[in-house]
Amino acid sequence: MKKLTLLLLLASSMAYGQRNLNIEETVFGPRTYAPANIVNSNWIPNSNNFSYLDKSYQNLVQKTASSNWSEQILLSKADLQTALQTKLPNEQINLSYFPIDYKWENANTINFTLSTKQNQYYIAYDIKNKTVAHAISSDVNGTNQEYAGDYSKVAFLIGNNINIKNADGKLITVTDDTTDGIVNGSDYTHRQEFGIKKGMWWNSQNDKLLYYRKDETMVTKYPLIQWDTRTASVKDIRYPMAGMKSEEVTLVIYDTKNGQKITLATGESKEQFLTQVTWDPSGAFIYVGVLNREQNHLKLNKYSAQDGSLVKTLFEETATTWVEPQTDLVFLPNNPKQFLYQSDKEGFNQLYLYDTDGKLVKKLGYENLIVHELGDFSSKGDKITYTGVTNNGLDRQLFEVDLKSGKTTQLTQDTGTHQAKLNGDGTYVLDQYSNLTTPNVVQVKAVKSGKIDKVITAENPFLGKINPPKIEFITLTSADGVTPLTGRIIYPNDFDPNKKYPVMYYLYGGSHSQLVSNKWLGAAGYFDLYMAQQGYIVFTMDNRGTDARGRAFSTATHRQLGQAEMADQMKGIEYLKSKSFVDQGKMGIFGWSFGGFMTTSFMVHHNDIFKAAVAGGPVIDWKYYEVMYGERYMDMPQENAEGYKLTSLIDKADQLKGDLLIIHGAQDPVVVQQNSMEFVEACIKAGKQVDYFLYPTHEHNVSGKDRIHMYEKIAKYFDLHLKK
């Protein structure tokens, strides 16, 4: 075991006026005590100037290198509103603040969305000429808007059907399906797994729309009881459980010039997954990652946009565990015959440069660095930036790679989590970062000289207001005896190592998650802080199976969810038990979703550790979970009967010890309530007492003001069982 030297030693709780967080601040505290920052900062193209919204949210301002980074107003909300009203005289324009979603289209033009009582608009505003250059509208009830790049038209959904509205107001009905279970153009295809964020794509020529057509008529309906009517009613959702019939998806091209539709020949099986959808810059081809239902064989296919036929398979990926495409192809701006492809096929998610015939041009990976998020191309198009994962998953740093030589350069150095951007000519980095002891820093760094100009150095937002607990990172070794794991421990105020304290062990442990990272407060949530202030040791650790550590780390859980995860978490438990200040007889565990599964698993598999537990929205048996996520990690029940039996908690209810509170949202479309109800029934049959609480109107997460109610219930449950 190795302790990191990074400690959060903040102001004394004895300072005048400081107090503990109240229960309402477990929800609203992150906003109330947010460190000082700048909002929506962006480099202005082809310049050494960056823009952002001022503190009042009323003005778009800029800082320029030529003025030694002094602040200047670019455009006020009032002037923008006047221009919008002039352009749209029949609309009532009343902006509360400057559009937060603004983006730079070029050095003189920003675009943003605008909603009125009558329409939704996509606006292009010319900063230089102070006029609205374009304003294209869609139906006020429309969703999933996709705007053509030349502002000539917009595609949107009304219900499950696609409409296109031209700039002249002409409305075109693309689909008019009325069959329940036929869904067009939705981003909720394949349940938004595989990095899917949209369901429609315009080509670069703005005359053809590609869209998903999802047929889920064969998928079993799952009932959600609605309690807001005189007699309760039923809302059916389509929920493809593991091993059962899944949705069938195709990709269709709609030609706006002639109204014709062409379906891509993506072939069999019909239950495959269509991912990484990308238009070729020429508009002549479409690229699709075709993944089999088993999720262990991916083909990157090239299709003709003229007739939908398969041109060729560029390359394939296979694995004994799973292949999980997460990103679309990114074409080089100065070479339409080459694209960037992301994959973890060699152990870590990295960049590969391919040509459109499928030939690997160059591997662009750097050591064991994980590409977390792709950034921008340089103005010449010969380099690209990305945020990479460093420091055993704790940090995020900005890197730049030369696409020809493959040379990789780290552009940020301070330890922590960086959100940084390089300007077009590569001379300045606009860098925002925080770490365990640093609330927030925004700075501009000159790449060549290394000179740094501070924009913001945020003070501790708790200072003089809230008693901040001490937070510490620790490093333990995984159950495999090799892999380092990072944990976070939060101590009660006025911690005395000679006293004994109850424990709240908070965990998640599932894929694509990371609870401990080197950002402000160590990424701890405000409920964690609250419970520490109430006298608990609060502990969290990321086990194998979570994110940001590479392929071997994430796939260690394959076909046996919860087993390697519990083995790793046992190392955290052993660490706590080794501390004299931990009251081993008063330890509690809490988790939601996958964390609820982990919590319940501990209460039956390792039932002598925790006296009390709270499991929110728990998966109880993976056969009740959906195809896309569940089968990736567990395969089908028909293929992995032993794994499903091992991980199911229903037949282990008779092993339950301690006090367990299960919380579930009655409208949960993610982890359906059948999971927790089956476990409660099994507890009844086994003669085991279990506490149960239902939020009738909430889905998978309890949100809004009701979340305060939830946190209060959890805190009181632990107080009841761990403080008496």
Tab-separated table of all heavy atoms in Angstrom, residues 300-338:
chain	number	residue	atom	x	y	z
A	300	LEU	N	-15.615	-2.612	-40.347
A	300	LEU	CA	-15.798	-1.242	-40.811
A	300	LEU	C	-16.064	-1.303	-42.305
A	300	LEU	O	-15.159	-1.580	-43.106
A	300	LEU	CB	-14.582	-0.373	-40.526
A	300	LEU	CG	-14.811	1.105	-40.879
A	300	LEU	CD1	-15.859	1.730	-39.964
A	300	LEU	CD2	-13.526	1.907	-40.828
A	301	ASN	N	-17.309	-1.061	-42.676
A	301	ASN	CA	-17.751	-1.213	-44.057
A	301	ASN	C	-17.915	0.135	-44.751
A	301	ASN	O	-18.277	1.136	-44.135
A	301	ASN	CB	-19.088	-1.961	-44.118
A	301	ASN	CG	-18.938	-3.441	-43.804
A	301	ASN	OD1	-17.830	-3.981	-43.815
A	301	ASN	ND2	-20.046	-4.101	-43.516
A	302	LYS	N	-17.685	0.099	-46.069
A	302	LYS	CA	-17.841	1.267	-46.929
A	302	LYS	C	-18.981	0.993	-47.902
A	302	LYS	O	-18.985	-0.036	-48.593
A	302	LYS	CB	-16.536	1.519	-47.683
A	302	LYS	CG	-16.519	2.718	-48.613
A	302	LYS	CD	-15.133	2.834	-49.253
A	302	LYS	CE	-14.989	4.050	-50.145
A	302	LYS	NZ	-13.613	4.151	-50.721
A	303	TYR	N	-19.981	1.893	-47.942
A	303	TYR	CA	-21.158	1.698	-48.778
A	303	TYR	C	-21.279	2.814	-49.805
A	303	TYR	O	-20.864	3.953	-49.561
A	303	TYR	CB	-22.425	1.663	-47.916
A	303	TYR	CG	-22.464	0.519	-46.941
A	303	TYR	CD1	-21.982	0.671	-45.639
A	303	TYR	CD2	-22.962	-0.722	-47.306
A	303	TYR	CE1	-22.005	-0.375	-44.736
A	303	TYR	CE2	-22.995	-1.784	-46.416
A	303	TYR	CZ	-22.510	-1.601	-45.127
A	303	TYR	OH	-22.521	-2.651	-44.248
A	304	SER	N	-21.886	2.481	-50.931
A	304	SER	CA	-22.154	3.468	-51.969
A	304	SER	C	-23.379	4.284	-51.587
A	304	SER	O	-24.425	3.732	-51.230
A	304	SER	CB	-22.396	2.775	-53.309
A	304	SER	OG	-22.951	3.685	-54.250
A	305	ALA	N	-23.256	5.601	-51.652
A	305	ALA	CA	-24.401	6.473	-51.383
A	305	ALA	C	-25.338	6.548	-52.577
A	305	ALA	O	-26.437	7.082	-52.473
A	305	ALA	CB	-23.917	7.868	-51.007
A	306	GLN	N	-24.915	6.008	-53.709
A	306	GLN	CA	-25.740	6.053	-54.908
A	306	GLN	C	-26.785	4.953	-54.915
A	306	GLN	O	-27.952	5.191	-55.237
A	306	GLN	CB	-24.871	5.935	-56.165
A	306	GLN	CG	-25.658	6.073	-57.458
A	306	GLN	CD	-24.757	6.136	-58.684
A	306	GLN	OE1	-23.542	6.175	-58.569
A	306	GLN	NE2	-25.361	6.166	-59.864
A	307	ASP	N	-26.366	3.731	-54.512
A	307	ASP	CA	-27.325	2.625	-54.536
A	307	ASP	C	-27.358	1.835	-53.227
A	307	ASP	O	-28.087	0.851	-53.121
A	307	ASP	CB	-27.033	1.681	-55.703
A	307	ASP	CG	-25.630	1.075	-55.656
A	307	ASP	OD1	-24.965	1.181	-54.604
A	307	ASP	OD2	-25.210	0.498	-56.679
A	308	GLY	N	-26.551	2.223	-52.232
A	308	GLY	CA	-26.566	1.557	-50.933
A	308	GLY	C	-25.771	0.273	-50.861
A	308	GLY	O	-25.750	-0.389	-49.816
A	309	SER	N	-25.104	-0.103	-51.943
A	309	SER	CA	-24.387	-1.385	-51.979
A	309	SER	C	-23.102	-1.334	-51.163
A	309	SER	O	-22.519	-0.272	-50.936
A	309	SER	CB	-24.058	-1.758	-53.423
A	309	SER	OG	-23.184	-0.790	-53.996
A	310	LEU	N	-22.668	-2.495	-50.716
A	310	LEU	CA	-21.401	-2.616	-50.005
A	310	LEU	C	-20.261	-2.485	-51.000
A	310	LEU	O	-20.168	-3.248	-51.963
A	310	LEU	CB	-21.322	-3.962	-49.291
A	310	LEU	CG	-19.982	-4.295	-48.616
A	310	LEU	CD1	-19.694	-3.327	-47.469
A	310	LEU	CD2	-19.986	-5.742	-48.103
A	311	VAL	N	-19.385	-1.524	-50.782
A	311	VAL	CA	-18.214	-1.342	-51.641
A	311	VAL	C	-17.106	-2.281	-51.201
A	311	VAL	O	-16.546	-3.027	-51.996
A	311	VAL	CB	-17.738	0.124	-51.606
A	311	VAL	CG1	-16.469	0.304	-52.441
A	311	VAL	CG2	-18.836	1.051	-52.105
A	312	LYS	N	-16.793	-2.246	-49.911
A	312	LYS	CA	-15.809	-3.177	-49.365
A	312	LYS	C	-15.785	-3.060	-47.844
A	312	LYS	O	-16.249	-2.068	-47.271
A	312	LYS	CB	-14.411	-2.891	-49.921
A	312	LYS	CG	-13.809	-1.562	-49.482
A	312	LYS	CD	-12.400	-1.349	-50.065
A	312	LYS	CE	-11.411	-2.387	-49.598
A	312	LYS	NZ	-10.020	-2.097	-50.030
A	313	THR	N	-15.241	-4.093	-47.218
A	313	THR	CA	-14.929	-4.040	-45.795
A	313	THR	C	-13.505	-3.542	-45.659
A	313	THR	O	-12.567	-4.169	-46.149
A	313	THR	CB	-15.074	-5.423	-45.136
A	313	THR	OG1	-16.451	-5.842	-45.213
A	313	THR	CG2	-14.651	-5.382	-43.674
A	314	LEU	N	-13.326	-2.394	-45.018
A	314	LEU	CA	-12.003	-1.791	-44.926
A	314	LEU	C	-11.090	-2.585	-44.008
A	314	LEU	O	-9.933	-2.844	-44.334
A	314	LEU	CB	-12.103	-0.337	-44.438
A	314	LEU	CG	-12.260	0.731	-45.533
A	314	LEU	CD1	-13.513	0.513	-46.355
A	314	LEU	CD2	-12.270	2.126	-44.920
A	315	PHE	N	-11.603	-2.964	-42.836
A	315	PHE	CA	-10.844	-3.812	-41.908
A	315	PHE	C	-11.803	-4.346	-40.860
A	315	PHE	O	-12.968	-3.941	-40.786
A	315	PHE	CB	-9.674	-3.059	-41.257
A	315	PHE	CG	-10.036	-1.755	-40.612
A	315	PHE	CD1	-10.580	-1.706	-39.328
A	315	PHE	CD2	-9.820	-0.557	-41.279
A	315	PHE	CE1	-10.911	-0.506	-38.736
A	315	PHE	CE2	-10.140	0.663	-40.684
A	315	PHE	CZ	-10.688	0.686	-39.409
A	316	GLU	N	-11.327	-5.276	-40.049
A	316	GLU	CA	-12.144	-5.919	-39.027
A	316	GLU	C	-11.419	-5.929	-37.692
A	316	GLU	O	-10.187	-5.887	-37.643
A	316	GLU	CB	-12.494	-7.355	-39.438
A	316	GLU	CG	-13.195	-7.447	-40.793
A	316	GLU	CD	-13.527	-8.881	-41.196
A	316	GLU	OE1	-13.967	-9.652	-40.311
A	316	GLU	OE2	-13.347	-9.217	-42.378
A	317	GLU	N	-12.205	-5.968	-36.630
A	317	GLU	CA	-11.672	-6.134	-35.277
A	317	GLU	C	-12.401	-7.287	-34.616
A	317	GLU	O	-13.629	-7.380	-34.688
A	317	GLU	CB	-11.888	-4.873	-34.433
A	317	GLU	CG	-10.855	-3.793	-34.579
A	317	GLU	CD	-10.972	-2.735	-33.490
A	317	GLU	OE1	-10.938	-3.115	-32.289
A	317	GLU	OE2	-11.107	-1.555	-33.832
A	318	THR	N	-11.665	-8.168	-33.948
A	318	THR	CA	-12.268	-9.258	-33.186
A	318	THR	C	-11.645	-9.304	-31.796
A	318	THR	O	-10.552	-8.777	-31.571
A	318	THR	CB	-12.057	-10.614	-33.877
A	318	THR	OG1	-10.651	-10.862	-34.009
A	318	THR	CG2	-12.709	-10.638	-35.264
A	319	ALA	N	-12.345	-9.949	-30.874
A	319	ALA	CA	-11.831	-10.077	-29.514
A	319	ALA	C	-12.488	-11.276	-28.848
A	319	ALA	O	-13.595	-11.679	-29.212
A	319	ALA	CB	-12.110	-8.809	-28.706
A	320	THR	N	-11.813	-11.849	-27.864
A	320	THR	CA	-12.400	-12.953	-27.102
A	320	THR	C	-13.357	-12.429	-26.042
A	320	THR	O	-14.158	-13.185	-25.499
A	320	THR	CB	-11.304	-13.776	-26.419
A	320	THR	OG1	-10.508	-12.909	-25.594
A	320	THR	CG2	-10.399	-14.442	-27.453
A	321	THR	N	-13.262	-11.139	-25.743
A	321	THR	CA	-14.181	-10.524	-24.781
A	321	THR	C	-15.223	-9.707	-25.537
A	321	THR	O	-16.298	-10.187	-25.833
A	321	THR	CB	-13.403	-9.648	-23.780
A	321	THR	OG1	-12.552	-8.740	-24.505
A	321	THR	CG2	-12.554	-10.513	-22.857
A	322	TRP	N	-14.887	-8.455	-25.857
A	322	TRP	CA	-15.820	-7.626	-26.626
A	322	TRP	C	-15.071	-6.568	-27.412
A	322	TRP	O	-13.942	-6.209	-27.091
A	322	TRP	CB	-16.868	-6.976	-25.724
A	322	TRP	CG	-16.334	-5.994	-24.720
A	322	TRP	CD1	-15.921	-4.705	-24.950
A	322	TRP	CD2	-16.142	-6.209	-23.319
A	322	TRP	NE1	-15.499	-4.104	-23.791
A	322	TRP	CE2	-15.620	-5.008	-22.769
A	322	TRP	CE3	-16.364	-7.295	-22.473
A	322	TRP	CZ2	-15.326	-4.868	-21.418
A	322	TRP	CZ3	-16.068	-7.157	-21.125
A	322	TRP	CH2	-15.550	-5.965	-20.615
A	323	VAL	N	-15.726	-6.096	-28.470
A	323	VAL	CA	-15.278	-4.940	-29.239
A	323	VAL	C	-16.342	-3.870	-29.028
A	323	VAL	O	-17.529	-4.125	-29.223
A	323	VAL	CB	-15.136	-5.267	-30.735
A	323	VAL	CG1	-14.696	-4.025	-31.509
A	323	VAL	CG2	-14.166	-6.412	-30.950
A	324	GLU	N	-15.913	-2.677	-28.642
A	324	GLU	CA	-16.880	-1.628	-28.336
A	324	GLU	C	-16.508	-0.328	-29.035
A	324	GLU	O	-15.831	0.524	-28.466
A	324	GLU	CB	-16.964	-1.396	-26.826
A	324	GLU	CG	-18.084	-0.435	-26.437
A	324	GLU	CD	-18.124	-0.173	-24.947
A	324	GLU	OE1	-17.246	-0.657	-24.223
A	324	GLU	OE2	-19.045	0.543	-24.519
A	325	PRO	N	-16.964	-0.132	-30.267
A	325	PRO	CA	-16.712	1.143	-30.947
A	325	PRO	C	-17.413	2.277	-30.225
A	325	PRO	O	-18.568	2.142	-29.805
A	325	PRO	CB	-17.298	0.918	-32.344
A	325	PRO	CG	-18.317	-0.168	-32.159
A	325	PRO	CD	-17.787	-1.045	-31.068
A	326	GLN	N	-16.710	3.404	-30.074
A	326	GLN	CA	-17.257	4.512	-29.312
A	326	GLN	C	-17.255	5.839	-30.072
A	326	GLN	O	-17.887	6.794	-29.637
A	326	GLN	CB	-16.459	4.695	-28.021
A	326	GLN	CG	-16.755	3.660	-26.953
A	326	GLN	CD	-18.095	3.912	-26.270
A	326	GLN	OE1	-18.344	4.980	-25.736
A	326	GLN	NE2	-18.963	2.934	-26.329
A	327	THR	N	-16.534	5.908	-31.192
A	327	THR	CA	-16.379	7.189	-31.889
A	327	THR	C	-16.546	7.014	-33.392
A	327	THR	O	-16.246	5.960	-33.952
A	327	THR	CB	-14.995	7.800	-31.608
A	327	THR	OG1	-13.984	6.858	-31.989
A	327	THR	CG2	-14.824	8.123	-30.135
A	328	ASP	N	-17.011	8.080	-34.048
A	328	ASP	CA	-17.118	8.087	-35.501
A	328	ASP	C	-15.739	8.317	-36.124
A	328	ASP	O	-14.770	8.653	-35.436
A	328	ASP	CB	-18.075	9.195	-35.947
A	328	ASP	CG	-19.479	9.007	-35.397
A	328	ASP	OD1	-19.819	7.879	-35.005
A	328	ASP	OD2	-20.228	10.007	-35.342
A	329	LEU	N	-15.666	8.147	-37.424
A	329	LEU	CA	-14.436	8.451	-38.135
A	329	LEU	C	-14.275	9.967	-38.231
A	329	LEU	O	-15.258	10.699	-38.310
A	329	LEU	CB	-14.468	7.855	-39.543
A	329	LEU	CG	-14.903	6.391	-39.687
A	329	LEU	CD1	-14.767	5.952	-41.136
A	329	LEU	CD2	-14.146	5.487	-38.758
A	330	VAL	N	-13.032	10.430	-38.235
A	330	VAL	CA	-12.757	11.862	-38.375
A	330	VAL	C	-11.813	12.047	-39.557
A	330	VAL	O	-10.664	11.599	-39.517
A	330	VAL	CB	-12.116	12.445	-37.095
A	330	VAL	CG1	-11.773	13.918	-37.300
A	330	VAL	CG2	-13.060	12.277	-35.913
A	331	PHE	N	-12.308	12.692	-40.622
A	331	PHE	CA	-11.506	12.877	-41.828
A	331	PHE	C	-10.555	14.053	-41.676
A	331	PHE	O	-10.879	15.058	-41.035
A	331	PHE	CB	-12.411	13.067	-43.042
A	331	PHE	CG	-12.919	11.769	-43.606
A	331	PHE	CD1	-14.059	11.174	-43.091
A	331	PHE	CD2	-12.243	11.133	-44.637
A	331	PHE	CE1	-14.523	9.970	-43.591
A	331	PHE	CE2	-12.704	9.926	-45.149
A	331	PHE	CZ	-13.842	9.335	-44.623
A	332	LEU	N	-9.392	13.906	-42.255
A	332	LEU	CA	-8.411	14.984	-42.230
A	332	LEU	C	-8.911	16.150	-43.075
A	332	LEU	O	-9.390	15.935	-44.202
A	332	LEU	CB	-7.067	14.493	-42.763
A	332	LEU	CG	-6.107	13.860	-41.748
A	332	LEU	CD1	-6.748	12.677	-41.017
A	332	LEU	CD2	-4.822	13.423	-42.426
A	333	PRO	N	-8.812	17.383	-42.593
A	333	PRO	CA	-9.349	18.519	-43.340
A	333	PRO	C	-8.619	18.793	-44.648
A	333	PRO	O	-9.208	19.366	-45.567
A	333	PRO	CB	-9.184	19.689	-42.359
A	333	PRO	CG	-8.102	19.264	-41.430
A	333	PRO	CD	-8.244	17.783	-41.291
A	334	ASN	N	-7.361	18.373	-44.746
A	334	ASN	CA	-6.592	18.636	-45.968
A	334	ASN	C	-6.325	17.380	-46.782
A	334	ASN	O	-5.544	17.395	-47.727
A	334	ASN	CB	-5.262	19.324	-45.630
A	334	ASN	CG	-4.426	18.493	-44.652
A	334	ASN	OD1	-4.826	17.398	-44.261
A	334	ASN	ND2	-3.280	19.028	-44.264
A	335	ASN	N	-6.978	16.271	-46.397
A	335	ASN	CA	-6.832	15.026	-47.153
A	335	ASN	C	-8.100	14.196	-46.998
A	335	ASN	O	-8.232	13.418	-46.050
A	335	ASN	CB	-5.620	14.238	-46.684
A	335	ASN	CG	-5.333	13.032	-47.595
A	335	ASN	OD1	-6.177	12.638	-48.405
A	335	ASN	ND2	-4.150	12.457	-47.453
A	336	PRO	N	-9.058	14.340	-47.920
A	336	PRO	CA	-10.329	13.631	-47.805
A	336	PRO	C	-10.224	12.129	-48.028
A	336	PRO	O	-11.230	11.424	-47.959
A	336	PRO	CB	-11.191	14.289	-48.894
A	336	PRO	CG	-10.214	14.778	-49.904
A	336	PRO	CD	-9.011	15.210	-49.124
A	337	LYS	N	-9.019	11.631	-48.286
A	337	LYS	CA	-8.809	10.203	-48.486
A	337	LYS	C	-8.249	9.519	-47.244
A	337	LYS	O	-7.930	8.328	-47.276
A	337	LYS	CB	-7.844	9.968	-49.662
A	337	LYS	CG	-8.367	10.476	-51.003
A	337	LYS	CD	-9.620	9.727	-51.448
A	337	LYS	CE	-10.063	10.177	-52.832
A	337	LYS	NZ	-11.323	9.484	-53.258
A	338	GLN	N	-8.121	10.264	-46.143
A	338	GLN	CA	-7.586	9.686	-44.915
A	338	GLN	C	-8.456	10.090	-43.719
A	338	GLN	O	-9.013	11.181	-43.693
A	338	GLN	CB	-6.138	10.126	-44.678
A	338	GLN	CG	-5.153	9.586	-45.700
A	338	GLN	CD	-3.719	9.971	-45.380
A	338	GLN	OE1	-3.455	10.806	-44.513
A	338	GLN	NE2	-2.768	9.351	-46.074
